[in-house]
Amino acid sequence: MSFRQRVIVSVVSVAVLAIAGLLVFGREPSDEQQIREALRDSIQAGKEGRPGGMLEILSRDFNYDAIPYEQARAVQRYIRDGKPDVTLDNWRPEIDGDLAVIKTAATIKVGIPFNTTFTFPDCTLTFRRERASRFLVFPGTKWRLWRADTRNANPTDLIP
């Protein structure tokens, strides 16, 4: 094979591999699938005690002004150490541009040190779309849980 033929074969091979890579790895899941995955990851992070858990984000926004500092720290520690199990009634997001909202009732079961169950009837989970790359090469997006709000939640209700 001549030099010219080798160059042509190499260029065609690289082009075929690039197209095959895009077809196999280039498809990004839908926004709804990505949001559900981000929610699963956030719930799992809370169970494992990792940062970014849904209840950690929720407890960060509680109004602690009415209670002493020690009690506020106790609530945050209880949430972190309790490794709660979270059940949501609704997993369907309402997507509006780079923000998505899930309005649902949340049931939280904490097993350590007491077996306690709490229900937040009006929980609003807000997700934000962020830029990301897949396989370090392909540009894409990723949804992350940004805020978790609940109306009329008293942080002291979480401590039995």
Side-chain angles (χ1 to χ4, degrees):
M1 233 198 283
S2 71
F3 176 74
R4 183 176 179 193
Q5 289 173 329
R6 280 189 233 154
V7 169
I8 291 173
V9 168
S10 297
V11 169
V12 169
S13 298
V14 168
V16 168
L17 288 174
I19 290 171
L22 282 174
L23 291 175
V24 173
F25 299 113
R27 293 187 184 166
E28 191 168 90
S30 71
D31 286 340
E32 188 170 334
Q33 289 172 327
Q34 288 183 30
I35 291 167
R36 288 180 182 202
E37 184 64 30
L39 185 53
R40 269 190 227 94
D41 289 346
S42 180
I43 290 171
Q44 189 63 32
K47 286 181 185 178
E48 295 172 358
R50 292 185 287 124
M54 186 187 103
L55 286 181
E56 177 188 346
I57 294 170
L58 180 67
S59 68
R60 177 180 65 201
D61 293 333
F62 277 152
N63 181 9
Y64 293 107
D65 294 339
I67 61 175
Y69 176 77
E70 296 81 24
Q71 207 169 14
R73 296 285 298 160
V75 170
Q76 292 170 340
R77 190 173 28 260
Y78 182 68
I79 289 171
R80 185 190 66 233
D81 297 343
K83 298 185 172 129
D85 185 27
V86 179
T87 306
L88 302 176
D89 291 346
N90 175 25
W91 285 67
R92 178 153 301 206
E94 298 171 12
I95 302 169
D96 183 24
D98 287 343
L99 292 177
V101 174
I102 296 178
K103 294 181 180 181
T104 184
T107 303
I108 295 131
K109 183 177 181 183
V110 182
I112 298 173
F114 312 103
N115 283 332
T116 310
T117 301
F118 307 99
T119 300
F120 295 107
D122 296 320
C123 191
T124 302
L125 308 173
T126 306
F127 296 82
R128 184 170 55 183
R129 184 190 335 239
E130 298 176 352
R131 300 262 179 238
S133 62
R134 294 173 297 131
F135 308 108
L136 301 174
V137 177
F138 302 109
T141 59
K142 184 172 187 166
W143 288 87
R144 292 192 194 274
L145 181 60
W146 179 44
R147 296 187 72 188
D149 300 314
T150 185
R151 294 182 197 158
N152 303 323
N154 185 353
T156 57
D157 293 342
L158 293 174
I159 298 179

